[in-house]
Amino acid sequence: MAEITNTYVSEELYKKFGDAILSTDEPYGMLTVVVEVSSITSVVDWLKKHPVINAHFLTDICGTHFPQIPGKELCAIYHMQSMPNNYRIRLKCFVPITKPEVPSLTGLFPSANWMERETYDYYGIQFIGHPNLQRILNVDEMDYFPLRKEFPLEDGSRTDKDDKYFGR
Amino acid sequence: MSKEITIAEMPAGLEGPGFFATSLEKAIGLARANSIWPLPFATSCCGIEFMATMGSNYDLARFGSERISFSPRQADLLIVAGTIAKKMGPVLRQVYLQMAEPRWVISVGACASSGGIFDTYSVLQGIDKVIPVDVYVPGCPPRPEQILDGFMQIQELVKNESLRRRNSNEYKVMLGSYGIQ
Amino acid sequence: MNEFDDKSIEQIEEPEYTTLNLGPTHPATHGIFQNILKMDGEIVVDAEQTVGYIHRAFEKIAERRPYYQITTLTDRLNYCSSPINNMGWHMTVEKLIGVDIPKRAQYMRVIIMELARIADHLVCNAVVGVDTGALTGFTYVFQWREKIYDIFEQVCGARLTTNIGRIGGMERDFNDEAIKKIKEFLRDFPKIFDEFSTLLERNRIFVDRVINTGPITAERALSYGFTGPNLRAAGVDYDVRVINPYSSYDDFDFTIPVGVNGDTYDRFMVRQQEIRESLKIIKQAMDNLPSGNWYADVPEFYLPPKEDVYHNMEALIWHFKIVMGESDVPKGEVYHAVEGGNGELGFYLLSDGGRAPYKLHFRRPCFIYYQAYPEMIKGGMLSDAILTMSSMNVIAGELDA
């Protein structure tokens, strides 16, 4: 099988989805595609079923938070790969923090279930269509999304740490 | 390897032909100290070192702990080895409450003792926030030798504990400070 | 017409199920997981998992710690094979800053990583033995795991949470004692391991117990994101060491064992075989260990030698600056994967050029494949559920991050 190149994949993506592909980039050799939120499932589905690209394996889902980009604060990052072609691709979609809604991939990959729950737990990204979107790692009573940048890392209950010795 | 069999040292007492008298406290202390049944509450890395401690090289069984008790009801010593997250805190407390008196607790490793390197929103900053602890073993993770040393410290405590301690007022006040009746 | 006609009797539609709470602290789960099982007698009908009992917020810590201080976190991911995690992280940073590592360091890393893989697989397989009722294998094999720890101690000073290696190579060369110990291990261990194998591999009782226990098809395994030995047991020959060779894995001659049914026996056998392959790799690496430096020329990241740090002012300042994250890191994002003890351990690193990563995500293989557990145990006996879990090698520290 001919080796799949980033150029080939991005051309195919532009051909198929056009405006839904917001930008492409190749940091450290991995094709990174920023996708319109509404079409993320169709892009993933298309990549999965594409006869040549055949990105049949969902490697990873994670989120991140950019408070400095208004309107695009939260970002869901997907890594997919094709084992037969040894090809990896990264997809991203940005959502505003006021309406952090991303369609769920659980219909396409059962493995997305917990990864999306984890991302929800950390960042509060709502995966629409997820069968059981609850906190997974943190306690259910937690009322904030701890990995958003504004929340502190430290536990507030420590009394032995005197701030004046830590320069805070 | 030495073929000698060492037996526990005799407590102080009166000895004559055919009899030996000592205080009940010392006799019970001796018996308890050499037959501690530990309940390993192993959650993470320290649990693996605890497995090594139980394994054939270090052999915790030499100290009278041949039987690892996984049921809290039959355990004397709670060995908390590993990070206790806030989600786990109530479970740990429950296990402690299920243990019968007299009970002792070892906190193995930095995480169990103080939260260790995980000063984070999800980790309990030391198990002594929810249950009383008798011996802290430092290390991340402690070597099996250190865990053994902690265990021997517990043996010392057990040997010298007064029989009335668990009924004393101070003990009740101490448990009360953890909200345990 | 009889008044006790069949139709008039209310039919009990749903059989009565028992709810059984397995965990969070159960001696047979080897870690902190809770499973609420719905049981029909001794048959598992359904299972609901709760995880997160040792969630330690790794990703949040990683956003606040300089690059060197993250190595200590990776130790505590899959603590059965911490060196693989350490080196995976170092390689991720090396990829970000674009450093080539000398061959000697690469080979040294391979030796350490394969030793760690052996240690990891030994725990898993010994525990499968324990759960089938054979404690002998466990006590026997753990003595030999101690020998691996002795080697790690010689190389880095620690046993379990090794913090081994540096960004840019290894901390120091193998000393004579370490080389002697590795050679002794290579000489003695295969015999011991064969004894362990004869205890279980062809043991009728064991084989009857584990064949067809917790099977999964290759297709389901892929859709659930399986990687590592569990995926290979289902028959997919995917191994990061082969498909994206890192650290000179392409120099070595080894095979990837695959199973057929993806059941407990296959998982056990794949791990057994991988231990043998790892021994082959270590032997090749030891035989062909290149001479030269064990570190790359990256003074920005590679810590100065400890002797200098203690006796030399400049080295001390330099050391301090690196550890506190005063090195320049390029902006960018990388994904680097290594073959960890139980699957593809990936690091997604997003750097904004600051002293700490902007975002660091660990792709933890356990977390992803443990989702399939209810599907694998459904319809089986309760005792098989325990075996399935221990043969999947789910490590709580890695699962909960």
Side-chain angles (χ1 to χ4, degrees):
Chain A
M1 196 177 279
E3 203 166 301
I4 294 182
T5 58
N6 288 343
T7 343
Y8 170 75
V9 178
S10 58
E11 273 170 13
E12 286 279 288
L13 274 168
Y14 273 118
K15 220 188 292 170
K16 173 78 184 161
F17 292 99
D19 292 345
I21 307 297
L22 300 178
S23 69
T24 55
D25 193 9
E26 287 180 33
Y28 294 89
M30 192 192 275
L31 182 66
T32 303
V33 186
V34 180
V35 183
E36 185 73 46
V37 181
S38 51
S39 48
I40 182 75
T41 28
S42 45
V43 171
V44 170
D45 192 33
W46 181 81
L47 281 169
K48 185 186 175 188
K49 295 189 176 134
H50 193 284
V52 182
I53 301 170
N54 188 17
H56 64 98
F57 191 78
L58 180 68
T59 318
D60 195 18
I61 299 178
C62 64
T64 186
H65 183 204
F66 300 99
Q68 67 277 21
I69 315 177
K72 287 179 171 184
E73 284 96 346
L74 294 175
C75 175
I77 301 161
Y78 302 85
H79 285 83
M80 293 174 75
Q81 79 185 91
S82 158
M83 286 179 185
N85 294 326
N86 190 14
Y87 180 76
R88 291 174 193 264
I89 181 167
R90 181 185 297 134
L91 304 174
K92 284 184 176 179
C93 50
F94 289 90
V95 282
I97 203 160
T98 43
K99 191 170 168 281
E101 290 177 353
V102 179
S104 169
L105 294 187
T106 40
L108 299 170
F109 295 99
S111 58
N113 189 326
W114 279 18
M115 295 193 257
E116 287 180 354
R117 276 178 72 182
E118 185 196 41
T119 312
Y120 164 74
D121 193 350
Y122 284 167
Y123 292 99
I125 298 177
Q126 303 279 342
F127 289 92
I128 306 298
H130 191 285
N132 179 26
L133 196 65
Q134 289 177 5
R135 288 192 180 273
I136 184 164
L137 296 175
N138 287 304
V139 284
D140 294 331
E141 296 80 44
M142 194 173 235
D143 53 0
Y144 64 100
F145 298 106
L147 259 83
R148 291 191 180 173
K149 293 281 178 189
E150 67 263 33
F151 294 110
L153 163 71
E154 281 87 6
D155 174 69
S157 68
R158 283 284 277 260
T159 48
D160 55 335
K161 279 190 168 179
D162 195 336
D163 276 357
K164 75 174 178 245
Y165 298 119
F166 286 86
R168 282 192 291 249
Chain B
M1 234 175 266
S2 153
K3 292 238 172 69
E4 271 174 49
I5 300 169
T6 46
I7 52 172
E9 230 169 83
M10 198 165 65
L14 278 177
E15 200 178 3
F19 82 93
F20 173 74
T22 183
S23 67
L24 182 65
E25 211 167 81
K26 278 181 188 144
I28 288 184
L30 183 69
R32 275 181 181 166
N34 292 298
S35 63
I36 297 175
W37 286 5
L39 164 65
F41 195 92
T43 57
S44 51
C45 333
C46 294
I48 303 290
E49 282 300 59
F50 182 72
M51 271 161 90
T53 318
M54 290 193 311
S56 32
N57 264 33
Y58 294 96
D59 198 11
L60 190 65
R62 289 178 295 161
F63 299 87
S65 301
E66 181 65 50
R67 185 186 181 276
I68 302 292
S69 169
F70 283 106
S71 147
R73 300 271 184 219
Q74 279 84 34
D76 306 306
L77 171 66
L78 180 64
I79 299 185
V80 185
T83 321
I84 302 295
K86 282 182 181 158
K87 205 171 179 175
M88 198 67 191
V91 182
L92 174 67
R93 193 183 150 88
Q94 183 72 24
V95 168
Y96 180 76
L97 290 179
Q98 283 173 349
M99 288 171 68
E101 291 278 15
R103 53 193 169 188
W104 291 270
V105 178
I106 296 190
S107 153
V108 173
C111 289
S113 305
S114 72
I117 61 169
F118 301 109
D119 181 8
T120 64
Y121 59 86
S122 64
V123 175
L124 195 66
Q125 301 300 305
I127 59 166
D128 47 10
K129 297 236 153 113
V130 289
I131 56 171
V133 178
D134 293 280
V135 170
Y136 297 89
V137 180
C140 189
R143 295 179 54 94
E145 289 94 334
Q146 278 172 285
I147 301 181
L148 286 181
D149 184 53
F151 192 82
M152 287 162 76
Q153 302 279 346
I154 281 283
Q155 280 189 316
E156 278 306 305
L157 276 181
V158 174
K159 213 178 277 174
N160 298 319
E161 186 175 303
S162 140
L163 279 183
R164 295 219 182 93
R165 178 179 169 236
R166 307 268 160 179
N167 299 324
S168 69
N169 209 29
E170 287 89 346
Y171 187 68
K172 279 188 188 131
V173 170
M174 191 275 292
L175 282 188
S177 69
Y178 288 94
I180 301 169
Q181 296 306 313
Chain C
M1 186 89 181
N2 193 329
E3 64 173 307
F4 295 111
D5 186 24
D6 273 349
K7 281 174 194 158
S8 67
I9 299 172
E10 199 187 330
Q11 294 276 325
I12 299 172
E13 288 282 326
E14 177 116 336
E16 248 183 65
Y17 294 126
T18 326
T19 306
L20 184 72
N21 187 14
L22 182 70
T25 57
H26 190 277
T29 55
H30 310 294
I32 307 297
F33 321 104
Q34 188 185 25
N35 283 287
I36 299 167
L37 305 174
K38 202 166 148 194
M39 308 285 300
D40 179 12
E42 222 183 318
I43 308 288
V44 180
V45 181
D46 204 358
E48 198 191 318
Q49 303 145 291
T50 316
V51 298
Y53 283 104
I54 63 163
H55 177 50
R56 291 171 284 186
F58 277 17
E59 291 184 18
K60 188 81 177 176
I61 303 178
E63 289 176 10
R64 307 292 166 98
R65 297 279 182 271
Y67 288 75
Y68 255 111
Q69 297 185 19
I70 292 170
T71 316
T72 43
L73 291 182
T74 59
D75 271 331
R76 287 149 185 86
L77 272 172
N78 179 353
Y79 32 75
C80 291
S81 53
S82 359
I84 302 184
N85 312 344
N86 298 156
M87 291 174 182
W89 164 243
H90 290 152
M91 283 184 259
T92 312
V93 181
E94 283 157 14
K95 197 168 172 180
L96 180 77
I97 57 182
V99 194
D100 281 330
I101 305 302
K103 269 277 185 224
R104 185 174 176 87
Q106 295 190 0
Y107 274 52
M108 284 163 73
R109 279 182 176 179
V110 166
I111 293 168
I112 296 294
M113 282 195 278
E114 292 307 316
L115 282 171
R117 194 180 317 282
I118 293 176
D120 184 275
H121 287 356
L122 275 184
V123 180
C124 179
N125 278 357
V127 162
V128 172
V130 170
D131 286 347
T132 50
L135 196 69
T136 326
F138 174 85
T139 41
Y140 193 45
V141 126
F142 252 63
Q143 291 180 32
W144 286 84
R145 240 182 125 246
E146 293 289 330
K147 308 267 179 207
I148 301 180
Y149 280 165
D150 286 350
I151 297 171
F152 290 165
E153 253 186 315
Q154 277 303 329
V155 176
C156 73
R159 284 160 52 90
L160 187 69
T161 46
T162 47
N163 209 351
I164 211 165
R166 294 282 183 258
I167 296 170
M170 295 292 284
E171 184 208 352
R172 64 187 86 175
D173 203 2
F174 287 160
N175 56 22
D176 293 344
E177 188 67 15
I179 289 188
K180 195 178 120 219
K181 283 201 160 136
I182 297 171
K183 285 196 171 142
E184 275 174 10
F185 183 79
L186 283 177
R187 187 191 66 208
D188 298 339
F189 181 69
K191 211 167 69 209
I192 306 294
F193 185 64
D194 284 345
E195 273 183 79
F196 174 72
S197 308
T198 48
L199 274 176
L200 295 171
E201 274 180 17
R202 300 268 162 209
N203 182 335
R204 184 77 213 190
I205 304 166
F206 178 77
V207 168
D208 281 353
R209 184 78 175 73
V210 289
I211 282 189
N212 272 330
T213 310
I216 190 160
T217 61
E219 195 191 343
R220 292 303 288 166
L222 280 173
S223 66
Y224 268 119
F226 274 47
T227 43
N230 294 345
L231 179 66
R232 292 194 279 275
V236 183
D237 58 343
Y238 174 74
D239 190 319
V240 189
R241 288 176 292 173
V242 175
I243 197 160
N244 301 121
Y246 52 90
S247 198
S248 293
Y249 264 111
D250 39 355
D251 290 3
F252 303 107
D253 176 30
F254 62 104
T255 47
I256 302 298
V258 284
V260 182
N261 301 319
D263 56 10
T264 301
Y265 186 65
D266 284 1
R267 285 192 284 271
F268 178 83
M269 288 305 283
V270 163
R271 288 206 171 85
Q272 291 283 89
Q273 209 53 44
E274 277 187 14
I275 292 178
R276 299 198 175 95
E277 295 299 325
S278 295
L279 284 169
K280 256 164 68 182
I281 298 175
I282 300 171
K283 188 155 183 357
Q284 291 172 44
M286 285 300 283
D287 289 347
N288 306 318
L289 195 62
S291 53
N293 269 346
W294 56 91
Y295 52 87
D297 186 22
V298 268
E300 280 271 89
F301 285 92
Y302 185 79
L303 291 175
K306 260 280 177 305
E307 298 76 34
D308 289 359
V309 174
Y310 288 137
H311 299 114
N312 186 328
M313 178 62 111
E314 287 75 23
L316 178 66
I317 296 171
W318 182 12
H319 179 100
F320 185 77
K321 277 184 78 167
I322 295 176
V323 171
M324 297 315 286
E326 301 294 318
S327 319
D328 285 333
V329 186
K331 285 182 188 179
E333 47 188 331
V334 285
Y335 178 83
H336 184 74
V338 292
E339 181 71 22
N342 39 21
E344 176 178 327
L345 177 72
F347 296 86
Y348 170 64
L349 168 62
L350 178 62
S351 158
D352 65 345
R355 60 192 279 271
Y358 189 81
K359 164 80 192 170
L360 176 62
H361 181 75
F362 304 96
R363 182 205 188 269
R364 290 117 47 211
C366 285
F367 177 73
I368 295 166
Y369 68 61
Y370 184 55
Q371 299 178 63
Y373 182 62
E375 189 176 306
M376 291 164 79
I377 60 169
K378 247 175 234 178
M381 307 274 264
L382 173 63
S383 46
D384 291 351
I386 300 291
L387 262 183
T388 308
M389 181 185 277
S390 49
S391 70
M392 279 168 87
N393 197 16
V394 190
I395 307 283
E398 182 175 280
L399 183 116
D400 289 341

